[in-house]
Amino acid sequence: EVKLVESGGGLVQPGGSLRLSCVASGFIFSTYAMRWVRQAPGKELEWVSSVSGGGNNHYYAASVKGRFTISRDNAKNTVYLQLNDLKIEDTAMYYCAKDDRPYFTTTDGSGTYSPLGQGTQVTVSS
């Protein structure tokens, strides 16, 4: 059973930073790309970023490129999302997910993925 546990969210002022973590279990972690998605109140789920199974390839939505950095530590079964220069519009619940297709990384958020975990709330407010 795939299990994903996110942490690291919080309340931060515009321009601030946070580091989100997601610990995964129940599958061979390095075999699958991982992604972060987010959902703001009243809005649809939005793909944020993906990282390949080996961690060498990274892809970002245009809205976060240059401000967010995705990474992973396969020894710890953990994927991270570093959020810098946060904006009010980044306020959302953030979730990590395991891509369904092994040995493949989406570059634009397409493709199916595992059910989401409980998420971690990021609130950007002055």
Side-chain angles (χ1 to χ4, degrees):
E1 177 188 3
V2 174
K3 185 176 180 182
L4 304 166
V5 180
E6 301 94 339
S7 63
L11 173 63
V12 64
Q13 292 185 340
S17 298
L18 285 172
R19 189 193 195 204
L20 309 184
S21 300
C22 168
V23 179
S25 61
F27 61 100
I28 301 174
F29 187 65
S30 60
T31 301
Y32 294 89
M34 296 292 293
R35 66 175 71 192
W36 286 92
V37 298
R38 67 185 181 184
Q39 188 165 29
K43 296 190 176 181
E44 293 186 352
L45 208 58
E46 175 190 18
W47 172 73
V48 174
S49 181
S50 289
V51 61
S52 60
N56 294 324
N57 299 306
H58 319 86
Y59 304 96
Y60 301 92
S63 58
V64 307
K65 194 170 187 179
R67 301 187 298 119
F68 292 7
T69 302
I70 193 171
S71 62
R72 65 191 293 161
D73 184 339
N74 286 348
K76 296 182 178 180
N77 279 18
T78 302
V79 60
Y80 304 97
L81 188 68
Q82 178 68 39
L83 289 64
N84 294 332
D85 190 22
L86 281 160
K87 305 178 185 300
I88 291 175
E89 53 264 38
D90 294 318
T91 295
M93 187 71 80
Y94 285 70
Y95 304 90
C96 68
K98 162 195 163 291
D99 278 18
D100 284 339
R101 184 177 171 182
Y103 305 111
F104 179 81
T105 310
T106 180
T107 62
D108 59 3
S110 58
T112 60
Y113 47 91
S114 65
L116 302 177
Q118 86 287 349
T120 187
Q121 177 69 39
V122 172
T123 302
V124 185
S125 174
S126 55

